[in-house]
Amino acid sequence: VQLVESGGGLVQAGGSTRLSCAASGSFVSINAIRWYRQAPGKQRELVAAATSGGGTTTYADSVKGRFTISRDYAKNTMYLEMNSLKPEDTAVYYCNVEVTTGYFPPKKSDYWGQGTQVTVSS
């Protein structure tokens, strides 16, 4: 399974941007999608997550009301819409998916995107 991220770059404070993460390869299903970020000198943190079928969506308190996680099932692509950006949102953003591969027995595995830099200028 390969995850290819795109989007991000340099954004002014108060602006918006959208990250994309396209999944390809052999898998039965995508069970959960997540976006993490890691700022310089800090640990990687979970920003947003969603289970398959939109059953459960969670956000870090710092991004609630500003970021939206979504998924295009037909394109196997996940998105992170980021609005009202702040300088403290500056980080490398990583997509992460849990997929099921195989049938007998089914196996769950996690995969990561390569990361994309988002820099918010004040």
Side-chain angles (χ1 to χ4, degrees), residues 12-76:
Q12 284 192 332
S16 300
T17 193
R18 187 178 76 162
L19 306 182
S20 301
C21 176
S24 62
S26 180
F27 50 89
V28 176
S29 61
I30 297 177
N31 308 317
I33 59 175
R34 309 176 187 98
W35 287 96
Y36 289 79
R37 68 184 181 188
Q38 188 166 19
K42 294 187 177 181
Q43 289 189 330
R44 190 171 297 188
E45 64 170 342
L46 179 65
V47 174
T51 57
S52 181
T56 303
T57 303
T58 59
Y59 296 92
D61 287 343
S62 58
V63 306
K64 279 182 182 176
R66 300 189 298 121
F67 290 12
T68 303
I69 187 171
S70 63
R71 174 183 169 187
D72 185 325
Y73 286 81
K75 296 181 179 179
N76 282 330

Side-chain angles (χ1 to χ4, degrees), residues 33-122:
I33 59 175
R34 309 176 187 98
W35 287 96
Y36 289 79
R37 68 184 181 188
Q38 188 166 19
K42 294 187 177 181
Q43 289 189 330
R44 190 171 297 188
E45 64 170 342
L46 179 65
V47 174
T51 57
S52 181
T56 303
T57 303
T58 59
Y59 296 92
D61 287 343
S62 58
V63 306
K64 279 182 182 176
R66 300 189 298 121
F67 290 12
T68 303
I69 187 171
S70 63
R71 174 183 169 187
D72 185 325
Y73 286 81
K75 296 181 179 179
N76 282 330
T77 301
M78 55 192 282
Y79 304 97
L80 184 67
E81 187 75 35
M82 307 163 66
N83 299 312
S84 302
L85 284 162
K86 304 175 182 179
E88 50 263 45
D89 294 320
T90 295
V92 177
Y93 285 73
Y94 299 89
C95 60
N96 167 269
V97 298
E98 180 197 280
V99 301
T100 295
T101 56
Y103 290 93
F104 302 107
K107 177 184 176 182
K108 293 183 179 180
S109 303
D110 268 25
Y111 292 89
W112 291 86
Q114 80 278 15
T116 187
Q117 176 72 45
V118 174
T119 302
V120 183
S121 63
S122 57

